[in-house]
Amino acid sequence: MNSPYDTKPRPLFRPLPNAQKAYCVGFEFEQWRCNAYADHMIEWIIDYALKADEIKTLTHANSYIKLKQAAARIYKSEHYKTRGEIGEISIHAICREYFQTIPFAPRVFYLTSSNEVVKSFDMVHVRYVGDHDVELWLGEAKFFKDRSLAIARALTSVSTHIEQGFLKNEKLLLGPQVSTDIPHFDKIRDVLSEEVSLDVLFQKAVFPIFIASDSPSTAKHKSHTAQYEADVAEELASLSDAIARSALHTKIKIVLIYVPIRSKDQLAEAFDKRLKGLNP
């Protein structure tokens, strides 16, 4: 069965060899690649925001319309500096590229009519294991200035999300939204059915935690060097230590993903300009 997710943008995020779980967009002319990051987010918005059946009909003849539809579904708020869409698109892109996941329900359909985000997972993907098994990747993304605050908030959110009552409601919300245009959709729906124990969901689930935050290492370096990697590795270690102290990793499978950025505000502004250009 062909999937509408067989095609994806060329990768921009690159894993750091000496800081596994950290991904960087790199430098250009001694500057962190803020504009390239913002452009890459726009490249991914169709994959992120549209449903599988809508992506199936994407052609060169309607690509601009599809891009505008995706942009319109993300946000129109003037308060872009407090919004988390950049984090959500980033975790979507990295998991699609490096962990071979695909979405089974678009994140933007969790928005209420007033465009306020329902408290839910920031990413709902599936990863195929072999020919017949599935993993549900239920992600949490934080796009913050402060790295320590970001991981603290992420751990609090995930802890809330794995409570019994929340997961029961989540299954009721997600089950009917599973796309029939992806392989083994029936197995995903079965895991999310009300009749199946939450124990089965925990056995099938992976919880990626994505942190993008202002990085002293990225701010002080002008190129991708061994010292830059070593400095980022220290920042990554502080996030890993926070997860270890929480003991959350003893209850669920966690995958940590870290993107060190030079300036949250700068990136938010660059992305916002591009998004508003698609919403004249």
Side-chain angles (χ1 to χ4, degrees):
M1 177 181 180
N2 292 330
S3 168
Y5 297 106
D6 287 343
T7 302
K8 52 193 174 186
R10 294 189 65 180
L12 177 71
F13 297 105
R14 301 291 182 181
L16 301 185
N18 296 325
Q20 293 183 1
K21 304 176 184 176
Y23 297 79
C24 184
V25 299
F27 300 84
E28 192 170 61
F29 293 112
E30 299 188 341
Q31 297 290 325
W32 180 69
R33 300 183 71 192
C34 177
N35 287 325
Y37 195 146
D39 287 340
H40 196 55
M41 294 295 92
I42 297 298
E43 289 178 326
W44 273 101
I45 63 173
I46 288 177
D47 197 271
Y48 164 79
L50 298 189
K51 295 184 291 185
D53 61 330
E54 295 173 311
I55 297 174
K56 276 175 58 175
T57 60
L58 174 66
T59 70
H60 70 280
N62 64 10
S63 58
Y64 181 59
I65 298 299
K66 295 285 188 181
L67 195 61
K68 289 178 67 176
Q69 289 173 344
R73 291 180 188 178
I74 296 177
Y75 71 86
K76 297 180 180 180
S77 170
E78 294 295 327
H79 304 292
Y80 60 86
K81 290 185 180 180
T82 63
R83 302 298 293 269
E85 284 83 358
I86 291 175
E88 293 173 12
I89 300 170
S90 296
I91 187 177
H92 175 98
I94 290 173
C95 286
R96 291 271 286 116
E97 183 62 41
Y98 291 102
F99 299 96
Q100 293 75 52
T101 67
I102 64 172
F104 63 82
R107 176 67 178 88
V108 292
F109 283 90
Y110 295 3
L111 298 180
T112 65
S113 58
S114 61
N115 203 40
E116 294 179 355
V117 178
V118 177
K119 291 183 179 179
S120 184
F121 293 107
D122 292 328
M123 184 190 82
V124 286
H125 282 198
V126 59
R127 178 175 176 267
Y128 298 105
V129 182
D131 295 330
H132 304 291
D133 204 2
V134 296
E135 288 179 344
L136 302 189
W137 282 52
L138 308 175
E140 181 69 25
K142 295 299 180 188
F143 177 55
F144 278 37
K145 293 175 71 70
D146 185 273
R147 185 174 68 254
S148 297
L149 181 59
I151 189 62
R153 293 281 179 85
L155 292 170
T156 298
S157 294
V158 173
S159 296
T160 300
H161 290 170
I162 65 173
E163 292 176 356
Q164 181 179 5
F166 181 92
L167 280 179
K168 283 185 177 294
N169 290 333
E170 190 76 354
K171 287 173 68 176
L172 292 172
L173 174 68
L174 288 176
Q177 296 193 55
V178 176
S179 171
T180 59
D181 292 298
I182 62 174
H184 300 312
F185 70 88
D186 52 337
K187 293 183 179 180
I188 302 170
R189 285 186 171 177
D190 183 60
V191 173
L192 295 172
S193 67
E194 190 173 2
E195 294 79 14
V196 172
S197 169
L198 285 173
D199 292 346
V200 176
L201 176 59
F202 274 105
Q203 292 168 4
K204 299 284 188 181
V206 175
F207 297 85
I209 294 179
F210 172 89
I211 304 295
S213 61
D214 286 6
S215 158
S217 302
T218 303
K220 77 178 182 179
H221 284 276
K222 295 182 178 180
S223 63
H224 189 147
T225 63
Q227 186 58 55
Y228 173 66
E229 287 193 16
D231 292 344
V232 170
E234 290 185 10
E235 297 176 0
L236 178 65
S238 70
L239 298 174
S240 298
D241 290 345
I243 292 174
R245 289 193 301 271
S246 75
L248 196 59
H249 67 287
T250 64
K251 303 175 183 178
I252 57 175
K253 301 173 190 173
I254 293 176
V255 172
L256 174 62
I257 301 169
Y258 176 48
V259 173
I261 60 180
R262 188 183 189 283
S263 169
K264 172 185 181 289
D265 292 343
Q266 180 187 20
L267 177 56
E269 182 177 4
F271 176 66
D272 192 69
K273 286 180 180 178
R274 288 158 174 76
L275 200 65
K276 286 180 177 176
L278 295 168
N279 286 280

